[in-house]
Amino acid sequence: MNAPARTSLAPQKAAVFARIDALMPELEKIYIDLHKHPELSMQEIRTAGIAAAWLDKHGFEVHPGVGKTGVVGLLKNGDGPVILLRADMDGLPVKEKTGLPFASEQTGTDRFGQSVSIMHACGHDFHVTWLMAVCKLLAEARDTWKGTVMAVFQPAEETGAGARAMLEDGMVKRFPKPTVSLGQHVIPLPAGRIGYKSGVAMSAADSWEVKLFGRGAHGSKPQNSIDPVVMASATVMRLQTVVSREVAMADSAVVTVGTIQSGFNENVIPDEALLRLNIRTFKENVRQRVLASVKRIIEAEAQASGAPKPPEFSVISQFPLTFNDEAATARTVDGMKGWFGGDRVVAVEAASGSEDFGLFGTAWNVPSVFWVIGGTDPEVFAKAMNGDDPGAMPVNHSPFYAPVLHPTLRTGVEAMLAAAYTWLD
């Protein structure tokens, strides 16, 4: 367990943090319910309904259906800054294998029309619970702050479509311009720890779907075919050279082929193959070079195989760099250290994961700050980091990923509340 927070907050505000004790049983129930009932991107109808009802109950002006399933709540409390607090809501097409007594058994149809299991494998159930808690605490303590709280429950972060959908639905015109945009995410750090990074905090990500064309034939007569399975396999292997041979050692990138599909029968050579791939980078010049290299290799492998026509490319998703404004980050971190002390709020390296959170700050041209909350048992984390197999520790998007409930639940509430108070002063 973590040591108690060492607050330097005024007693009036410290008393609000003390109310979290009484709120914890209700928050546990909310979290468990959300974990059991995950919903896929742009299908978060139940989750959005829970968030909207909660906001309405606590005096927020509620705007449901923003960007299809997004929810925006406004709590106006006199003149002062406007702070945007964001939580993403969607689950993932993953079959849960955590063994939790409240593990998800939900199924659905994903954006590609496939029947899939659904799991909160990225902690968005925590994110929603945290924001709900902070909204309640601030609503019940309006004598401790002035300004406007804008609570944003965002859909479809996992596909990179949610923030864009909300913005395209008129967020900038419909709602007041925030002073700052704040968000947080649970990750494999020791539970109870908060991590921050000024400047570039998370990578840009580009996801493509590529269709390769061949010529089908009987499995016994490969000479009559142009085999797209071989074409796709050669492409996947050659793509591994992009990072190892075309990206400088001082730079970094990731090229991942997450889907390869072709054919249905062992004795039929199909006529098409499909690849879905993901590219992550930290610099725009590196991004442009890697994207160009990936396209060049795919087209060249198709030509080398004698494909009857060039590959078809389509964009599945696109995530911007997550950039934390340095001055806003320093202010937010100072506020969190005022509650937690410096030993629990620590600087971390930029993450190779990606987020669409930054689009809100960009759209309004205001600073953004995005930080991370540890959710891994400290002993498990230490063993993984000190051992020979760090991959044995479940991470986000794993079917085994299950952040520990305590103290993760409390820490996320306290961190967002401390950050909010920093800007509402």
Side-chain angles (χ1 to χ4, degrees):
M1 295 296 290
N2 290 281
R6 297 193 300 273
T7 180
S8 62
L9 294 176
Q12 190 182 31
K13 291 179 180 176
V16 179
F17 284 83
R19 299 179 190 179
I20 297 173
D21 284 334
L23 189 55
M24 287 301 293
E26 185 175 15
L27 296 182
E28 288 183 23
K29 291 179 181 178
I30 292 169
Y31 166 74
I32 288 170
D33 177 67
L34 292 173
H35 188 87
K36 288 177 67 175
H37 300 96
E39 296 171 293
L40 293 172
S41 303
M42 288 300 182
Q43 301 178 30
E44 308 94 339
I45 296 171
R46 182 180 186 274
T47 308
I50 291 171
W54 181 269
L55 292 173
D56 182 65
K57 177 181 177 182
H58 293 96
F60 280 71
E61 176 187 308
V62 184
H63 300 265
V66 181
K68 189 176 179 180
T69 51
V71 178
V72 176
L74 295 175
L75 185 64
K76 300 174 183 178
N77 190 32
D79 293 333
V82 178
I83 61 165
L84 187 156
L85 304 177
R86 177 269 207 168
D88 39 7
M89 301 186 290
D90 51 331
L92 284 159
V94 173
K95 174 67 175 176
E96 182 161 358
K97 298 179 181 179
T98 62
L100 290 170
F102 50 88
S104 168
E105 297 181 358
Q106 300 296 303
T107 59
T109 302
D110 71 5
R111 57 185 166 150
F112 302 115
Q114 303 168 130
S115 295
V116 295
S117 297
I118 312 173
M119 175 190 173
H120 266 305
C122 203
H124 296 186
D125 41 1
F126 271 107
H127 305 173
V128 173
T129 308
W130 291 336
L131 181 52
M132 289 173 63
V134 171
C135 287
K136 175 182 173 70
L137 291 165
L138 290 175
E140 293 178 347
R142 299 189 201 197
D143 58 329
T144 64
W145 59 277
K146 292 291 183 182
T148 298
V149 174
M150 184 191 306
V152 176
F153 291 88
Q154 182 206 305
E157 182 278 330
E158 296 294 355
T159 63
R164 283 187 177 87
M166 296 188 80
L167 292 167
E168 289 170 0
D169 200 12
M171 276 191 73
V172 172
K173 293 182 178 179
R174 294 170 60 182
F175 305 110
K177 181 177 180 176
T179 306
V180 68
S181 179
L182 303 172
Q184 58 186 16
H185 202 300
V186 63
I187 68 165
L189 278 178
R193 188 172 296 177
I194 299 96
Y196 67 91
K197 171 72 168 64
S198 291
V200 174
M202 300 183 76
S203 73
D206 296 87
S207 292
W208 289 353
E209 182 174 275
V210 181
K211 188 176 288 186
L212 300 170
F213 300 97
R215 184 170 63 226
H218 195 285
S220 67
K221 297 183 180 294
Q223 71 275 15
N224 296 124
S225 76
I226 297 174
D227 194 335
V229 176
V230 174
M231 191 189 310
S233 301
T235 300
V236 171
M237 294 305 297
R238 183 60 185 264
L239 286 173
Q240 308 310 305
T241 67
V242 173
V243 174
S244 67
R245 288 296 176 267
E246 299 190 43
V247 176
M249 190 175 83
D251 294 321
S252 58
V254 173
V255 177
T256 296
V257 179
T259 300
I260 178 168
Q261 297 175 349
S262 188
F264 298 95
N265 211 52
E266 78 283 358
N267 66 347
V268 177
I269 297 173
D271 60 1
E272 292 182 1
L274 181 140
L275 302 177
R276 295 192 185 106
L277 57 153
N278 179 252
I279 298 118
R280 295 176 187 264
T281 51
F282 287 109
K283 297 179 180 178
E284 182 59 24
N285 64 323
V286 176
R287 173 177 175 264
Q288 292 297 335
R289 179 172 183 180
V290 170
L291 292 176
S293 297
V294 167
K295 191 170 189 289
R296 183 195 75 234
I297 286 171
I298 293 171
E299 290 176 335
E301 288 292 347
Q303 185 176 22
S305 298
K309 60 178 180 177
E312 290 182 356
F313 297 83
S314 59
V315 175
I316 300 173
S317 65
Q318 188 178 79
F319 292 81
L321 282 173
T322 298
F323 185 87
N324 284 336
D325 179 87
E326 293 185 7
T329 300
R331 176 174 174 174
T332 304
V333 169
D334 283 347
M336 289 193 285
K337 286 182 176 180
W339 173 250
F340 291 104
D343 56 335
R344 289 178 60 188
V345 184
V346 298
V348 295
E349 296 297 320
S352 57
S354 303
E355 260 284 348
D356 63 355
F357 163 76
L359 292 174
F360 293 118
T362 299
W364 268 293
N365 193 27
V366 299
S368 296
V369 185
F370 193 76
W371 62 93
V372 293
I373 306 292
T376 301
D377 181 289
E379 292 185 5
V380 172
F381 183 86
K383 185 177 180 180
M385 293 299 100
N386 296 331
D388 297 327
D389 188 14
M393 179 177 66
V395 297
N396 302 69
H397 292 213
S398 163
F400 300 99
Y401 185 58
V404 294
L405 185 54
H406 301 292
T408 309
L409 186 55
R410 174 187 289 275
T411 303
V413 176
E414 291 177 325
M416 182 166 276
L417 184 59
Y421 268 138
T422 300
W423 290 91
L424 289 169
D425 267 335

